[in-house]
Amino acid sequence: MTLKKIAWLVDSSAYMSNTLKDHPDVYVLPLNIHFGIEQFVDGIDLTPDQLYDRIRNGTESAKTSQPSAGEFAAVYEKLSKEYDSIIAIHVSKILSGTLSSSISGAQIAQVQVEFIDSLSLSAGITGLVEKGLQLQEKGQSYKEIAVELREMTSKFRNYILIGNLTQLYKGGRLSSAQFYLGSLLKIKPIIQITQQGELKELDKVRSHKKAIQYLINKAVESADKEGLKHVYIMHANAEQQANDLKDAILQQAPSLQFTIGEISTSLAVHAGEDTVALLWYL
């Protein structure tokens, strides 16, 4: 049997664009979502609508966990029998233990894998895989591709408008005082994933309208000064808001191309409903 060239493995924090969903060599290992003693598999037995309904109406806080090393080992054993090589790209190791679990799984399976810490999540992973597939089509080896993708992580830019402070508070990222004051003053925090893969508060904006204008300005500025070509707009049950944001940016930067998509349920657990984010690679 002739082995296929490269298998691509991501976790379910990644946004599955049409390119990735339709590609036969891209595989997803789901994260887990917990409500108390109940456990669900991200994207399989808990839909986004069900998640938001439980968050709105439930009493227990939602949590997430990475797949076990054993689950990764089983996937790697299977892929190693079908492919020459494997590239695994995961959510930032500072934000999740997924990458560590993936590495342990490969060690258990005794399989060589090129691991890439995306230093991001969602469309940040998507952009890396899409670029990697392009490099593969050009004939680059999996090791050469891995080197280029690790270098590419430093070119990631992102601006995340948190739609609902409740989930940040429940997840322990806001104190009671911060949550109370933020809600009272209608403060909209802009969050960013740093080049080190950490989440930090970038800015606080008073009113939703001003926060949206903040995002518009960032995209237009990058298009004018840095040659930005393509933007991912990710949202949490806020498709109309995402489309309106795209239209507003296009009025000032008509040559930009967009991909609009919904964040995974595992990310929505932390970000909360109505969150909107702009993400791109330079």
Side-chain angles (χ1 to χ4, degrees):
M1 181 181 71
T2 302
L3 297 179
K4 291 186 256 184
K5 193 172 182 182
I6 301 174
W8 298 82
L9 180 66
V10 299
D11 57 79
S12 62
S13 71
Y15 167 63
M16 296 303 290
S17 64
N18 290 335
T19 298
L20 303 195
K21 280 191 296 188
D22 297 338
H23 202 289
D25 303 325
V26 176
Y27 298 84
V28 184
L29 194 54
L31 279 71
N32 303 303
I33 299 170
H34 307 265
F35 284 92
I37 61 172
E38 290 184 275
Q39 177 173 310
F40 302 90
V41 181
D42 185 11
I44 295 179
D45 52 16
L46 185 69
T47 67
D49 285 345
Q50 291 171 329
L51 172 75
Y52 296 127
D53 184 64
R54 292 193 68 140
I55 287 174
R56 286 187 221 107
N57 303 312
T59 56
E60 291 186 288
S61 298
K63 298 181 180 179
T64 58
S65 65
Q66 70 266 19
S68 69
E71 290 175 286
F72 273 111
V75 171
Y76 285 133
E77 287 175 1
K78 178 180 182 298
L79 293 180
S80 67
K81 295 174 183 177
E82 300 176 15
Y83 292 87
D84 284 326
S85 50
I86 304 169
I87 297 177
I89 305 179
H90 293 301
V91 57
S92 169
K93 68 180 179 182
I94 293 179
L95 302 179
S96 170
T98 302
L99 178 59
S100 176
S101 189
S102 184
I103 293 171
S104 297
Q107 292 170 342
I108 293 170
Q110 298 183 321
V111 173
Q112 285 292 112
V113 179
E114 283 289 332
F115 295 100
I116 297 171
D117 182 349
S118 71
L119 302 176
S120 63
L121 41 70
S122 188
I125 300 173
T126 311
L128 291 174
V129 180
E130 290 178 340
K131 178 65 174 180
L133 291 171
Q134 293 171 8
L135 296 174
Q136 181 181 349
E137 288 181 3
K138 293 179 180 178
Q140 291 196 20
S141 71
Y142 84 110
K143 287 189 176 294
E144 291 172 331
I145 293 171
V147 169
E148 285 210 32
L149 296 186
R150 292 188 188 104
E151 293 175 352
M152 183 176 163
T153 59
S154 66
K155 301 174 182 177
F156 182 61
R157 303 290 183 269
N158 62 98
Y159 301 92
I160 306 165
L161 170 58
I162 298 299
N164 190 322
L165 296 180
T166 303
Q167 282 308 104
L168 284 182
Y169 171 58
K170 287 183 176 181
R173 296 187 183 275
L174 283 180
S175 68
S176 297
Q178 287 173 319
F179 174 64
Y180 175 74
L181 287 173
S183 300
L184 182 67
L185 300 174
K186 300 189 185 306
I187 288 174
K188 297 295 183 179
I190 307 292
I191 306 296
Q192 187 174 63
I193 306 168
T194 70
Q195 292 191 8
Q196 291 72 45
E198 299 177 280
L199 272 177
K200 74 170 187 178
E201 186 178 75
L202 180 63
D203 217 332
K204 291 190 181 83
V205 184
R206 291 286 294 273
S207 88
H208 183 75
K209 183 178 180 180
K210 290 181 179 178
I212 291 296
Q213 189 61 52
Y214 183 103
L215 298 184
I216 294 168
N217 292 345
K218 289 297 182 182
V220 172
E221 180 182 1
S222 184
D224 289 342
K225 297 181 179 179
E226 300 174 306
L228 176 63
K229 304 294 185 186
H230 180 264
V231 178
Y232 295 94
I233 302 181
M234 296 289 103
H235 66 88
N237 200 29
E239 185 175 8
Q240 186 59 56
Q241 188 176 179
N243 281 307
D244 291 344
L245 178 58
K246 180 193 77 170
D247 292 341
I249 294 171
L250 280 173
Q251 288 181 12
Q252 298 182 60
S255 64
L256 278 180
Q257 296 181 329
F258 291 84
T259 297
I260 296 178
E262 190 160 12
I263 63 174
S264 68
T265 49
S266 59
L267 294 183
V269 163
H270 303 287
E273 195 169 8
D274 293 328
T275 290
V276 178
L278 296 184
L279 312 96
W280 65 79
Y281 283 96
L282 292 175

